[in-house]
Amino acid sequence: MSAAPSLRPVLVLQLVFMLGFSSVVPFFAAIGQSRFGLDGAAVGALVGARVIAQQGLFVVGGYLTDRFGPRLLLVAGCLLRALAFGVIAWAPDAPAFVAGVVLVGMAGALFSPAVDALVGRIDAERRSRHDGAATGRGPAPFAALALAGETGGIVASLGAARFMPDHSAVLAAISAAVFLGAAAAVHRLVPRSDAVGPRVPAERASGPAAPAPVDPVRVVPLAIACSALLAVYTQLFSTVPLALTEHGIDAGRMGAVAAALSAATLALQWPLSRLAERLGRCTAVMLALYVSSAACLAAFAAQQFLSPSAMAWAFCAVAVLVGVSMMLGTPNAQSLIAGGSNRWRATRLAFLPTAGGITAFLSTAATGAIAERAGTLAAWPLAAALPAAMLPLAWYALRPAHELRHESLRHRTTSAPAAAGSPNQKEHTS
């Protein structure tokens, strides 16, 4: 069974999920303030509660996916999110609204690991058949998943912006209906079996020309190293708005920064995926950490040396660099972790967003405290130091893949002369 056709329905589901999600979730702060009179501190706690409920429970969702299969978790997550948006639509008071927000996060912790597991199975099966290559002209499976999600998110948030927060109840009800429809679609689009393609033995998934998947023992170090990427991404939405306000710039300019990030994702995810296939997934992850650190240094330089108006535009370039780091690092780390054995694939993949959420929370708390005391300019060096400090950890986690590749190439080089008379061997080594 070819896994390639199975990717399309998963991408369609991801697009639908983000359409329902981004129609409401980006506007939680505005809804809380306009409908329920929440102050700034309460809004911050509200947004944090959703992130913690989702990121913190990803490993639980991954374990349940491995235990019961992705189909069941997808249905359960869709139904729970439909319930959550229903609660938000008809919430009579602030506590009910907060409960709905937390349920939104919990639902994401159920179906997002299931989606990752499905794509991980497709990615591993493709690479096992083609000596480590994702094949095809399109982006690699995890990059395609990110592209589908970003497309749905942009379309939904732009479409909903003109109706928020005045019509938040109507949009939340529509989102609930979207997820009910998605739950029904899962029955038609996702097989009953937990397999998307044939089971791939670990030894086959690491062909002679393919980088080996990350050793399970090193999944956690790799997840911690890549968590710096999400931490820097979060700085865009925490430190940049503070910097704009600090320099007397309209906070609305943050919309241009977010737009630059979204445009970069749509324009560059595909070509960067192809570039990563040529460079190698391990190299792409390491390069992502360098770019992430460079983005923070660029923000520091812009704030230090440019005029306020130029600085605001420079932050758009910083957003593009941050987007590039995410596009290079996250899909390729997911692909490496998903490779090899089918066993506990969803749980392994779930460590990435969980580690990212924890690190993002800690880093934004630290840079926020520094910005409060010494100004936002002082926060950027700390943000830049985080991905730089993760480079040795990433090297350690990815080293087995590099070593196995080099050993395989050496073995092929030394064994070629001994079998020079064999037509098959000549073809294999050419």
Side-chain angles (χ1 to χ4, degrees):
M1 171 183 170
S2 173
S6 299
L7 181 61
R8 293 191 185 95
V10 179
L11 297 182
V12 171
L13 285 173
Q14 179 71 355
L15 179 67
V16 172
F17 292 159
M18 289 306 297
L19 286 172
F21 178 86
S22 296
S23 296
V24 179
V25 173
F27 308 98
F28 274 166
I31 296 172
Q33 289 175 326
S34 65
R35 283 178 58 185
F36 304 106
L38 300 181
D39 58 21
V43 166
L46 178 72
V47 174
R50 185 199 67 81
V51 173
I52 291 172
Q54 183 162 330
Q55 304 293 119
L57 293 176
F58 249 76
V59 172
V60 176
Y63 169 79
L64 293 175
T65 298
D66 287 321
R67 180 70 177 81
F68 299 106
R71 189 171 187 264
L72 178 61
L73 269 294
L74 282 170
V75 172
C78 288
L79 293 177
L80 183 58
R81 187 155 278 183
L83 173 64
F85 282 124
V87 170
I88 291 170
W90 289 285
D93 50 32
F97 174 64
V98 172
V101 170
V102 172
L103 285 176
V104 166
M106 293 176 65
L110 291 180
F111 65 70
S112 290
V115 171
D116 288 346
L118 288 170
V119 176
R121 175 69 55 83
I122 295 168
D123 185 85
E125 190 264 354
R126 282 187 178 184
R127 294 179 187 278
S128 72
R129 292 184 175 184
H130 301 279
D131 288 335
T135 75
R137 294 185 178 182
F142 278 108
L145 181 71
L147 190 56
E150 186 69 21
T151 301
I154 291 173
V155 170
S157 57
L158 290 178
R162 61 179 298 182
F163 301 107
M164 283 291 186
D166 295 340
H167 303 284
S168 60
V170 174
L171 289 176
I174 292 173
S175 293
V178 167
F179 278 97
L180 285 176
V186 167
H187 283 279
R188 295 180 58 85
L189 299 178
V190 179
R192 287 187 178 275
S193 169
D194 65 344
V196 174
R199 289 191 175 272
V200 183
E203 59 272 16
R204 187 186 168 193
S206 303
V214 175
D215 188 310
V217 176
R218 290 178 170 84
V219 166
V220 174
L222 179 59
I224 294 173
C226 290
S227 70
L229 301 175
L230 183 59
V232 171
Y233 176 88
T234 307
Q235 295 298 323
L236 281 179
F237 300 95
S238 58
T239 307
V240 169
L242 293 176
L244 293 174
T245 303
E246 189 177 283
H247 287 78
I249 302 172
D250 182 9
R253 295 292 292 272
M254 187 61 203
V257 176
L261 178 64
S262 297
T265 301
L266 291 177
L268 299 178
Q269 181 70 82
W270 191 325
L272 285 175
S273 173
R274 305 313 303 163
L275 175 64
E277 292 297 316
R278 289 193 292 270
L279 295 176
R281 290 172 289 168
C282 298
T283 301
V285 172
M286 298 293 288
L287 181 60
L289 290 170
Y290 283 108
V291 175
S292 183
S293 185
C296 296
L297 294 177
F300 174 84
Q303 197 167 337
Q304 175 71 21
F305 300 111
L306 298 181
S307 65
S309 59
M311 180 193 74
W313 289 111
F315 280 145
C316 294
V318 170
V320 172
L321 285 176
V322 172
V324 168
S325 72
M326 292 292 289
M327 289 182 275
L328 281 174
T330 303
N332 290 291
Q334 289 174 309
S335 177
L336 287 164
I337 290 174
S341 173
N342 291 304
R343 211 171 150 73
W344 303 116
R345 176 177 284 131
T347 305
R348 298 198 309 266
L349 285 166
F351 276 110
L352 272 174
T354 296
I358 294 172
T359 303
F361 172 76
L362 295 175
S363 68
T364 52
T367 55
I370 291 174
E372 182 70 22
R373 295 181 181 181
T376 54
L377 184 64
W380 290 115
L382 176 62
L386 181 59
M390 293 297 185
L391 283 167
L393 191 62
W395 178 85
Y396 165 77
L398 297 170
R399 183 181 59 175
H402 284 297
E403 289 178 348
L404 184 57
R405 178 174 174 82
H406 294 326
E407 289 173 5
S408 298
L409 291 174
R410 284 197 300 269
H411 174 72
R412 292 169 63 193
T413 302
T414 56
S415 63
S422 169
N424 292 336
Q425 186 65 21
K426 287 181 181 180
E427 182 180 353
H428 178 67
T429 56
S430 61

